[in-house]
Amino acid sequence: MSASRTATILSSSESILRARCIHQRSPRRLALFSTRIGCAQVPRPDAAIIHNLQQWRHQSSAREPSEQKPPLPPSKLLLRALREGLSLRPILSAFRGQSLRTLFRQSPEELVIAIILLCVVTGISIYVGYAYFSYFQSRQFTRFPPQIAKSLRRALYYSNYAPDPKLALKYYKIALEQCSEAGLDPFSDEVMGLKIQLAAWFEKIGSYRNSIEVLESLLRDSKKWVEVMEKSVRDGLVDSSGKFVGAPKPQPPTGEEGDESETHTIPENLWAKRTRILGKSVGISVKLGELYSDEHVLQGDSAGEHLVWAVETVLKELQRRQVEGVKEGEGDWMTPEQIGGALEALGNHYESKSQYYLSAPLFLQAISLSPPNSCHTAVLMNNLAISLAQQPVQGPLEPSQTSQASGSNVAARPTRSTLLASARSWALQAQKAAEKVQGEDRTDECDEACAVALCNLGDIAAMAGDIDEARRRFNESLSLSRRIAFEQGTLQAQEGLQRLSTKPSAEST
C-alpha cells in the first residue's frame, strides 16, 4: 500500500510540474523551451534540435531591428499608387471568358456602353499622345538646344492651348535671350523663325503695333547684313567659293563621321546665306505692307513703300542673275508663286487706292507666274478684270494738245469700249478657270471665284448698258453665293440688283 501511495504521489507531482511548465509559456517564448527542457525528460537528439532552434530564433530576433527597411519616399509612394490605380488588370480580368458572359447576361446594355466608352477613351488617349509627340517633339523644337526648346514649348502652350499673354510673352523673351546666350546665329532659320512666330502671335492677339515693331527690327537687321556682304564682295573680301578670303576651308570628314555627314546638308556659303536672308526679307516686307494696310493701322504710305521695295528687290535680283549668272552655292531664287504673291500684294495696294492703271499690269504679270490648275489663278483674273473695267479714260484732247501729242500715242490710247471688252474677256476666263479645277486642287476659293466672276460680268454689262445681261449675271451670282454660303458674294450681287432697279428712275429724272 505504501508502494501504491508512493506511485500516486509521484504521478501527482509530475502533473503539477507539467502544469507549471504550461503556465510559464505565455510571458516569453524562450522560457517555454527552457522550462520544458528543465521539467520534462527529453531525449538527447530532440534536446539538441530544440537547443539549435532556440539559438536561431535568438539570433533572428537580435537582427530584426537592424534589418528593417527604411520607409519609401513620398514620390515613390505616389508613383506606386498611380501605377496601381492606372492598372488595367482589373478591367481585363472582368472581360475574360465566364466573367464577360456573366456580365452580358446580367446587364447587356450597360456592358455595350462600357465597351464603347472604353474604346473612345483609348482612342482619345492614343490621339493625345500622338499629337503631343508629333507637335512638341517635332523638328521645329528638337533643332533647338533643350533649354530653348523647353521655353519655346511653354511659349506656344500659353499662346495656343492655355492662352495667357503675359506668360507667353515671358517665355518668348526667355527663348530669345537663351538663343543669344547660346551663340546661335541671329540670321539662322531657327532664330528668324522664332521672331516671325512672335510677330504672328502679336497679330493674333490684336497687338498690331508690336507685331510691326518686331518685323521692322528683323527687316532692318537683314537689310544691314545684305549690305555689308555686298560691300565685302565689292572690296574683294569674298572669293569665288563664297567664303572670306583667307578663311580656313573645312576638312572633309573621315571614317564614321564621313558616313554620318552624308545625310547632312552642305554648309551654306555667303552667297547661299544672302539668297536665304534676301528672300525672307522680301516676305517680311510684303507682310509689313499687309499690316500697314490693315484697318487697325491704316498707314497706306508705309504699306506702299514696303510693297514697292519687295517688288523692286525681286526684279533686281532676277536681273542680276541674268547678267552675272548664278554664283557658286547661291541656290535658286524665289519660286514663281512667291514672286507672283509679291506682285499681287502691290497690285491690291494700288487697287485699294483706285490706281487701276498701276494694278492692272501687276495682276497680269502675277497671272503669268501662277499655275494654270489653281483656284487662285481665277482670283487674279477677277482682279485684272476689275482693274481694266474701272480704269478712267481721258476725254477728247484739245486741238493744241492733239498737235503736240504724237499720232502713235493717240492711236495706242485704249477707249472705254476696248477696256470693257478686255475686262469681260478676263472675267469669262476667270469663270472657266475656276470651273476647270477638279480633284484635290479644287478648294472653296474656286466656288467663290466663280461667284465673283459672275458678279463682275454683271457690273461690266451694266457699264456697257446691257441691263438684261447684267440682271441675269447678278441673279446667277446670287444663287451660287447662297448655295455655297458666300456672304460677301451675296451682298455684292444684291447691291448690283439694287443699282439696276434704281437706274431707270434715275435716268428718267
Side-chain angles (χ1 to χ4, degrees), residues 139 253 256-267:
R139 188 177 181 274
E256 297 180 356
E257 295 181 357
D259 297 337
E260 296 177 357
S261 63
E262 291 179 356
T263 60
H264 297 169
T265 57
I266 300 175

Side-chain angles (χ1 to χ4, degrees), residues 230-243:
E230 292 177 349
K231 185 177 183 301
S232 300
V233 173
R234 291 192 299 269
D235 294 342
L237 301 178
V238 179
D239 58 15
S240 59
S241 63
K243 296 181 174 60

Side-chain angles (χ1 to χ4, degrees), residues 75-366:
S75 59
K76 291 187 177 181
L77 291 175
L78 180 60
L79 291 175
R80 179 182 294 180
L82 289 174
R83 194 185 304 114
E84 294 177 356
L86 297 176
S87 177
L88 298 177
R89 187 175 299 173
I91 299 176
L92 295 176
S93 62
F95 289 94
R96 289 178 182 172
Q98 191 66 30
S99 300
L100 186 61
R101 297 193 196 96
T102 304
L103 290 174
F104 184 77
R105 292 194 189 97
Q106 292 177 353
S107 53
E109 296 179 357
E110 288 80 355
L111 179 61
V112 173
I113 294 174
I115 294 175
I116 294 174
L117 290 177
L118 181 62
C119 295
V120 170
V121 171
T122 304
I124 293 174
S125 302
I126 294 174
Y127 174 76
V128 170
Y130 171 77
Y132 173 81
F133 284 101
S134 62
Y135 181 73
F136 286 105
Q137 300 297 328
S138 60
R139 188 177 181 274
Q140 64 176 338
F141 297 106
T142 56
R143 62 184 177 181
F144 285 97
Q147 292 299 325
I148 302 176
K150 182 179 180 181
S151 301
L152 186 56
R153 288 190 187 99
R154 292 182 177 180
L156 292 179
Y157 175 78
Y158 289 115
S159 300
N160 303 326
Y161 297 96
D164 191 332
K166 291 183 179 180
L167 289 176
L169 181 59
K170 171 186 173 182
Y171 285 112
Y172 274 124
K173 290 182 176 180
I174 291 175
L176 290 173
E177 292 174 358
Q178 290 173 340
C179 289
S180 178
E181 294 173 357
L184 297 183
D185 184 4
F187 298 103
S188 63
D189 286 337
E190 291 79 8
V191 179
M192 294 183 74
L194 179 55
K195 293 180 181 179
I196 293 173
Q197 171 64 30
L198 176 60
W201 174 72
F202 275 131
E203 182 185 4
K204 179 182 178 181
I205 63 176
S207 183
Y208 296 94
R209 292 294 179 183
N210 290 329
S211 179
I212 290 173
E213 289 179 3
V214 173
L215 293 179
E216 286 281 13
S217 176
L218 183 57
L219 179 61
R220 186 167 51 252
D221 294 341
S222 299
K223 287 181 179 180
K224 185 65 176 177
W225 189 94
V226 173
E227 291 176 1
V228 172
M229 186 269 173
E230 292 177 349
K231 185 177 183 301
S232 300
V233 173
R234 291 192 299 269
D235 294 342
L237 301 178
V238 179
D239 58 15
S240 59
S241 63
K243 296 181 174 60
F244 285 109
V245 176
K249 295 184 179 180
Q251 297 295 330
T254 59
E256 297 180 356
E257 295 181 357
D259 297 337
E260 296 177 357
S261 63
E262 291 179 356
T263 60
H264 297 169
T265 57
I266 300 175
E268 63 178 5
N269 58 12
L270 293 177
W271 285 109
K273 188 173 183 179
R274 176 186 176 276
T275 300
R276 179 173 56 81
I277 295 177
L278 195 61
K280 285 186 178 294
S281 299
V282 171
I284 293 170
S285 187
V286 171
K287 182 61 182 179
L288 282 171
E290 296 178 0
L291 290 174
Y292 279 120
S293 301
D294 192 89
E295 60 181 359
H296 298 90
V297 182
L298 293 179
Q299 293 185 10
D301 295 337
S302 299
E305 292 176 2
H306 284 86
L307 293 173
V308 168
W309 181 88
V311 173
E312 289 179 349
T313 302
V314 169
L315 298 179
K316 286 180 181 179
E317 181 63 16
L318 287 175
Q319 184 180 8
R320 185 196 68 79
R321 290 179 175 232
Q322 291 175 357
V323 174
E324 300 179 3
V326 180
K327 304 295 182 180
E328 180 181 351
E330 191 172 19
D332 297 331
W333 183 224
M334 300 174 65
T335 63
E337 290 81 2
Q338 293 173 339
I339 298 174
L343 297 171
E344 180 188 1
L346 183 58
N348 290 331
H349 171 71
Y350 285 138
E351 185 182 7
S352 66
K353 299 180 69 175
S354 299
Q355 296 178 343
Y356 301 105
Y357 62 96
L358 294 176
S359 63
L362 292 170
F363 288 136
L364 182 60
Q365 189 67 25

Side-chain angles (χ1 to χ4, degrees), residues 72 95 123 151 206 282 340 347 349 400 429 436 447 454-455 461:
L72 293 175
F95 289 94
S151 301
V282 171
H349 171 71
S400 59
Q429 290 187 47
K436 183 178 65 175
D447 296 331
L454 291 171
C455 198

Side-chain angles (χ1 to χ4, degrees), residues 424 428 454-455 457-462 464-476 497 500:
R424 183 176 184 277
L428 290 173
L454 291 171
C455 198
L457 289 171
D459 286 328
I460 294 169
D466 192 347
I467 305 302
D468 294 336
E469 174 70 11
R471 183 174 287 107
R472 183 174 69 85
R473 294 295 187 180
F474 282 134
N475 286 325
E476 291 177 358
L497 291 172
L500 292 179

